[in-house]
Amino acid sequence: MKILMLGWEFPPYISGGLGTACYGLTKGMSQIGAQVLFVLPRPAGGQGGSRIQILSPSDLQAINAASADIPADMPNVTIKAVDALLQPYTGQAQHARHLADLQAIHQAGQPAGGHQPADFVDLPPSAVHYHGDLLKEVRRYAQLVANLAGEHSFDIIHAHDWMTYPAGIALARATQKPLVVHIHSTEFDRSGKHVNQAVYDIERQGMHAADHVIAVSHLTKSICTARYGIPADKIEVVYNAILNGYQPLNGQRVTIAKGEKIVLFLGRITMQKGPEYFLAAAKKVLGVMENVKFIMAGSGDMTRRSIELAAAMGIGHKVLFPGFLRGQDVEKVYRMADLYVMPSVSEPFGIAPLEAMSNDVPVIISKQSGVSELLTHVLSVDFWDIDEMANKIVAVLRHPPLQATLRQHGSFEVRKLSWQDSAQQCIRVYQSVLSARPNSPAEPLANPA
Amino acid sequence: MASVCFYFQVHQPYRLRRYTIFDSDADYFDEYHNKQIIHKVAEKCYLPANKLILDLIRKYEGRFKVAYSCTGVLIEQLEQYAPEVMSTFYALADTGSVEFLAETYYHSLAFLHSRKEFAEQVSLHCDLIEHHFKQRPSVFRNTELIYNNDLAAFVAQMGYRGILVEGADHILGYRSPNFLYHPPGNPNTTLLLKNYRLSDDIAFRFSQRSWAEWPLTSEKFADWVHQVNGNGYTVNLFMDYETFGEHQWADTGIFTFLEHLPERIFDHPDDDFKTPSELVQTHQPSGELDVPYMISWADTERDLSAWLGNAMQSNALYELYRLEQQVKDSHDDDILRDWRKLQTSDHFYYMCTKYFADGDVHKYFNPYESPYDSYINFMNVLDNLRARLR
């Protein structure tokens, strides 16, 4: 079976969990013998090249050389990059810079690629929260992808998150191949009550146009049924996982000061991730314990407000903001942490706790997260219950046996999760979708593992 | 001849209320839920089962008999929340066909941590039983049938003539639980071994439709008991009392099964019912049983791992018993009672991480979402108790 996947980020160009999830799922697919053609927007600022670039696994390895922990042993995967700027969380200024880079590349005499306007790609004209150009880029990506129709053969289209849905719809119409959309998050998770109508419309259109919907949790599935009007039997829940053989660090634990405990927040500092609940709990913890520091690693539109909030609460000296961390810095910060807290207000899944657990860090997760459906050897709290969050933070810091038990069972639990299992569940979805179509019987896997 | 020896464990702990690091009062227990659970179990199990057993004793004019072990914490809660259940137990005690066993008042794991505390709790319990039921126990059962040679020696020295023991395969080997045994070096103490197969047929498999023997009828069961003849003289059926009406709901037919069982047992003229102390009086132990390490009746492991299986459990128990001297030196009865109520084994059972993911018997009336929550809550309460000692 050959799958054409549409994504918007892939390591090392990632801004969050989506790239990690796409990478893991693709690798799982490859390991069970499925052929994947992964199409993603090529990040601007790279070396110039043709408009559509085919990267071989060795090229991918070259890209990945910077982050040595990502292997490129994916024999059944082809990566295709098209020029579009799908980076929803960059600021306006950064986006303009990328756009200028792209234009420079195009003006340097690249072939136009012969793409006609795809009039069936129906996009709203503008968006407020996402810089206007992003929606243009989404449309351009859709056109570029639609042009791939004749160039490659595949059985099914699998589109990851809203920015790829117009592309998925266009390609599905052009090729008559079935479309599966994968919901890693919804506009309601990202924006709370201030939903961007344009983005919502694209999500809704994608889910309705799809032959089947994959949601990363039952929490997300329930949003799809309640807010997007998708029948429950059209949605399959496939949980994310963590890469097999993920090597936890064996090195010495690092501390800031002797006897000082460290509580870690790691993720985008945005409304969705609940930074203010983390700070409120920190304030309570510091009321009963002295020797604790709180690290808020990440960046986002609430970074500044969080710094100000910490100062206003009088705990500024106890909260550190190291900014967005990558690669080894992430490992280092895990090595420092006594506890990882994910206080998300709304988290469709939440891969970061799995990473923390495989780094032997005990975790507290919000009950409003998809991953809480899956994990048992964690502490879970309602994100709004800051008393309970503080209560649990203090308990973990004070009682080494609690830490030890969470670590011991948690690392077993997380090792049981495998991307191959998630990939297998996706394959079952494809097979049922394909067999529902009279003219395209499902092919068996080329070489099942 | 074969005797059936029924013993029912009757126990409910004082469950803790949600207690965070920010709480500072000395009200540790969840009165609302404890009361609710006592009412529920009284209605579904204690009242109908006591009535049925009383009827059977009267009907068979004393030939049907049973033994109970009611913990101190249960009796306290019954007096407070369901005194009508206490009066049915009084009626049972008055028949002369019901034996009450000795155990630790607080259904505790004290033997593992403090022999002094253990002895005090056992004697408190015996006083309580004598006060309510006008009989002083002569046979002992430890919390969850936790047992080894040391316990036998210690309990024998306290004057008990019989002790209840789990008839685990890895202890008995080729031997049968249907005989009586004695601990090494002490032929005067009698060990009564639980026939776990026949006990579990009632306690666990009764309503299991996938079981080959389902549905279990009184006749079939009485035949199984009768088959023991020639290879033993007693079938010790030890189980939680909540088996009747709570673990096995009334609509499974469990009460009907019990109602007809005596009749079917008496169909075999040689078979009868005996209480533990009658067995001790009737038979000489048939052999020595050496149990050098701790066993219990819990889970498939039959060991201590349900209460001491992870670091949280051993830490909580260690920290709790570390306070013993300070608690006793304080001469504060409230502190002593609270400390003892915290010893009830259920608190540590809730912290068990075995099978946590599967959802099973460990979840029975478990007030916590996870073993971690239970440890955190317990340690917060213990913190407060410690503060009261300063």
Side-chain angles (χ1 to χ4, degrees):
Chain A
M1 186 182 297
K2 194 158 182 191
I3 304 115
L4 186 139
M5 280 205 186
L6 300 168
W8 88 41
E9 53 178 41
F10 209 74
Y13 303 103
I14 59 169
S15 69
L18 178 63
T20 312
C22 286
Y23 180 78
L25 185 64
T26 305
K27 188 165 180 192
M29 291 270 181
S30 166
Q31 283 165 343
I32 60 172
Q35 301 280 325
V36 178
L37 174 66
F38 201 102
V39 180
L40 76 158
R42 193 171 65 82
Q47 321 96 306
S50 67
R51 196 159 187 77
I52 293 172
Q53 196 178 7
I54 298 177
L55 301 180
S56 69
S58 60
D59 291 330
L60 184 70
Q61 201 156 27
I63 290 178
N64 288 339
S67 47
D69 59 322
I70 303 168
D73 50 344
M74 296 199 283
N76 302 317
V77 177
T78 310
I79 309 280
K80 241 174 141 43
V82 297
D83 286 337
L85 265 183
L86 300 188
Q87 292 176 1
Y89 301 116
T90 55
Q92 187 73 55
Q94 215 180 336
H95 182 261
R97 202 165 57 242
H98 285 317
L99 201 63
D101 287 350
L102 263 184
Q103 279 159 357
I105 292 164
H106 295 158
Q107 281 158 10
Q110 300 303 324
H115 49 89
Q116 305 100 10
D119 55 2
F120 44 77
V121 182
D122 179 28
L123 278 182
S126 70
V128 187
H129 288 284
Y130 298 89
H131 21 79
D133 286 317
L134 182 61
L135 287 164
K136 259 190 231 154
E137 295 301 333
V138 168
R139 191 195 316 196
R140 212 156 63 86
Y141 178 62
Q143 289 167 356
L144 291 170
V145 167
N147 293 332
L148 295 174
E151 294 177 25
H152 297 275
S153 67
F154 48 85
D155 303 300
I156 197 153
I157 306 159
H158 186 145
H160 294 279
D161 264 9
W162 70 274
M163 303 183 73
T164 70
Y165 296 168
I169 295 170
L171 194 57
R173 288 194 192 160
T175 59
Q176 295 300 305
K177 298 290 183 191
L179 171 67
V180 171
V181 300
H182 199 133
I183 319 294
H184 295 268
S185 85
T186 69
E187 184 59 11
F188 294 96
D189 301 303
R190 291 181 298 265
S191 306
K193 285 175 186 155
H194 311 289
V195 167
N196 182 315
Q197 188 62 38
V199 173
Y200 171 80
D201 289 344
I202 293 173
E203 288 181 329
R204 191 184 165 87
Q205 202 181 359
M207 291 183 212
H208 281 273
D211 293 78
H212 212 79
V213 174
I214 292 174
V216 290
S217 62
H218 287 279
L219 180 72
T220 300
K221 177 176 177 172
S222 70
I223 295 175
C224 295
T225 53
R227 307 273 200 154
Y228 295 86
I230 309 299
D233 58 6
K234 191 183 164 178
I235 308 170
E236 188 72 20
V237 171
V238 175
Y239 290 119
N240 289 330
I242 190 156
L243 290 176
N244 290 331
Y246 190 95
Q247 285 297 315
L249 293 162
N250 295 320
Q252 198 75 36
R253 290 191 83 79
V254 186
T255 49
I256 293 180
K258 211 174 174 203
E260 185 113 87
K261 304 282 187 185
I262 292 175
V263 181
L264 175 67
F265 172 105
L266 179 73
R268 277 180 291 112
I269 304 182
T270 59
M271 184 284 304
Q272 183 194 349
K273 303 291 180 181
E276 69 270 52
Y277 298 99
F278 182 75
L279 287 172
K283 169 85 180 164
K284 295 224 165 214
V285 170
L286 290 166
V288 291
M289 275 182 94
E290 266 292 308
N291 55 336
V292 195
K293 282 232 163 51
F294 295 82
I295 297 183
M296 295 189 78
S299 58
D301 58 14
M302 279 186 56
T303 308
R304 219 179 129 165
R305 199 171 131 197
S306 300
I307 295 170
E308 286 165 2
L309 192 60
M313 287 171 152
I315 57 171
H317 61 302
K318 289 287 195 181
V319 187
L320 310 177
F321 291 87
F324 187 84
L325 303 180
R326 279 172 201 277
Q328 288 208 314
D329 286 339
V330 174
E331 293 181 7
K332 265 189 207 151
V333 82
Y334 278 135
R335 204 186 297 186
M336 293 168 77
D338 294 282
L339 171 64
Y340 171 84
V341 182
M342 185 183 76
S344 299
V345 171
S346 180
E347 188 70 66
F349 186 79
I351 283 187
L354 303 184
E355 290 172 349
M357 286 164 85
S358 51
N359 275 295
D360 257 0
V361 181
V363 303
I364 297 180
I365 56 177
S366 115
K367 288 183 185 172
Q368 288 68 33
S369 69
V371 75
S372 71
E373 297 165 15
L374 184 66
L375 296 177
T376 47
H377 295 288
V378 296
L379 304 179
S380 52
V381 294
D382 290 305
F383 71 88
W384 44 263
D385 193 350
I386 53 172
D387 273 342
E388 184 58 14
M389 203 185 294
N391 183 43
K392 286 187 164 149
I393 291 172
V394 170
V396 173
L397 299 183
R398 275 198 183 161
H399 302 301
L402 176 60
Q403 284 180 34
T405 314
L406 282 166
R407 281 204 181 105
Q408 187 191 346
H409 291 285
S411 78
F412 273 113
E413 183 168 41
V414 87
R415 262 183 268 161
K416 279 192 227 153
L417 306 175
S418 140
W419 278 115
Q420 292 186 34
D421 293 343
S422 308
Q424 195 63 60
Q425 282 178 274
C426 289
I427 300 275
R428 277 199 290 272
V429 170
Y430 305 152
Q431 282 165 342
S432 77
V433 164
L434 287 168
S435 62
R437 294 200 162 197
N439 296 329
S440 17
E443 274 178 44
L445 292 180
N447 48 343
Chain B
M1 67 179 284
S3 305
V4 171
C5 175
F6 262 126
Y7 135 68
F8 305 121
Q9 179 62 33
V10 202
H11 167 64
Q12 290 297 331
Y14 281 104
R15 291 163 196 83
L16 296 169
R17 74 175 180 88
R18 181 177 171 235
Y19 197 91
T20 75
I21 194 76
F22 306 108
D23 284 294
S24 56
D25 58 68
D27 291 327
Y28 304 146
F29 304 98
D30 190 340
E31 219 182 297
Y32 175 79
H33 279 112
N34 289 327
K35 184 176 173 177
Q36 205 180 37
I37 289 168
I38 290 286
H39 282 167
K40 182 172 171 252
V41 183
E43 193 191 321
K44 289 177 78 174
C45 165
Y46 302 156
L47 288 171
N50 280 6
K51 180 175 185 306
L52 175 58
I53 286 169
L54 188 62
D55 289 348
L56 290 172
I57 289 169
R58 286 182 179 150
K59 179 174 173 190
Y60 296 101
E61 294 169 334
R63 290 170 66 213
F64 177 71
K65 43 191 90 172
V66 301
Y68 290 99
S69 191
C70 301
T71 65
V73 285
L74 174 89
I75 290 175
E76 283 181 10
Q77 293 189 84
L78 287 180
E79 286 191 282
Q80 203 181 347
Y81 304 133
E84 70 277 20
V85 177
M86 280 311 290
S87 49
T88 61
F89 274 117
Y90 295 146
L92 285 167
D94 288 344
T95 62
S97 299
V98 173
E99 180 176 347
F100 289 89
L101 307 181
E103 66 169 307
T104 55
Y105 188 104
Y106 292 89
H107 197 262
S108 72
L109 305 171
F111 186 78
L112 306 175
H113 291 267
S114 164
R115 301 285 156 95
K116 178 167 175 264
E117 174 65 13
F118 173 78
E120 285 172 21
Q121 283 193 24
V122 174
S123 110
L124 268 179
H125 183 252
C126 284
D127 292 348
L128 182 82
I129 295 302
E130 191 170 19
H131 168 77
H132 283 289
F133 305 122
K134 316 292 177 241
Q135 53 172 277
R136 192 134 186 115
S138 61
V139 172
F140 178 81
R141 66 78 68 180
N142 195 24
T143 307
E144 310 288 350
L145 297 197
I146 290 172
Y147 175 87
N148 71 356
N149 292 338
D150 289 348
L151 182 125
F154 194 82
V155 169
Q157 187 204 348
M158 289 171 75
Y160 294 95
R161 300 165 56 214
I163 305 172
L164 271 47
V165 182
E166 168 63 40
D169 289 335
H170 65 278
I171 295 302
L172 284 170
Y174 67 93
R175 289 175 292 186
S176 155
N178 305 329
F179 294 93
L180 301 179
Y181 295 87
H182 67 80
N186 187 352
N188 298 322
T189 300
T190 303
L191 304 178
L192 293 81
L193 283 102
K194 173 180 158 188
N195 185 318
Y196 77 85
R197 281 192 188 84
L198 289 174
S199 298
D200 292 353
D201 284 344
I202 299 175
F204 297 117
R205 287 180 284 274
F206 185 78
S207 61
Q208 226 175 72
R209 284 167 188 254
S210 56
W211 180 37
E213 300 294 345
W214 186 89
L216 181 60
T217 60
S218 318
E219 278 134 309
K220 196 191 288 181
F221 195 84
D223 280 344
W224 292 345
V225 168
H226 189 66
Q227 283 165 22
V228 162
N229 278 298
N231 183 32
Y233 38 74
T234 176
V235 172
N236 297 328
L237 301 175
F238 301 168
M239 64 196 73
D240 282 336
Y241 202 29
E242 289 84 0
T243 299
F244 301 94
E246 184 60 61
H247 298 332
Q248 310 290 344
W249 288 4
D251 61 13
T252 62
I254 190 77
F255 288 111
T256 320
F257 169 83
L258 183 60
E259 186 187 339
H260 294 109
L261 187 63
E263 190 185 337
R264 297 299 164 212
I265 293 286
F266 297 138
D267 281 347
H268 305 278
D270 284 347
D271 296 348
D272 66 359
F273 290 88
K274 279 197 169 58
T275 66
S277 64
E278 284 177 334
L279 281 177
V280 171
Q281 281 157 11
T282 315
H283 303 279
Q284 278 300 309
S286 308
E288 180 183 290
L289 190 69
D290 185 16
V291 186
Y293 45 85
M294 286 289 177
I295 58 165
S296 79
W297 74 359
D299 301 338
T300 46
E301 293 88 344
R302 304 285 205 271
D303 60 11
L304 299 185
S305 57
W307 310 276
L308 274 166
N310 66 39
M312 298 189 295
Q313 293 170 307
S314 28
N315 175 248
L317 278 162
Y318 173 77
E319 292 293 334
L320 178 68
Y321 282 101
R322 211 155 68 101
L323 299 180
E324 177 177 359
Q325 204 49 51
Q326 271 175 283
V327 166
K328 290 179 178 167
D329 289 346
S330 75
H331 301 291
D332 181 328
D333 285 346
D334 289 337
I335 291 183
L336 182 63
R337 265 196 301 272
D338 283 346
W339 178 68
R340 284 181 163 159
K341 285 178 186 172
L342 292 179
Q343 292 182 39
T344 301
S345 67
D346 303 65
H347 300 307
F348 309 97
Y349 198 67
Y350 300 145
M351 297 177 199
C352 177
T353 42
K354 282 194 301 180
Y355 324 119
F356 163 43
D358 307 340
D360 64 354
V361 65
H362 284 250
K363 291 208 168 143
Y364 177 71
F365 287 145
N366 182 340
Y368 300 100
E369 281 175 33
S370 94
Y372 302 103
D373 289 1
S374 115
Y375 171 78
I376 292 171
N377 212 51
F378 184 88
M379 294 308 276
N380 286 339
V381 168
L382 194 59
D383 236 23
N384 183 273
L385 186 80
R386 202 183 286 117
R388 285 163 69 194
L389 289 167
R390 282 185 207 122

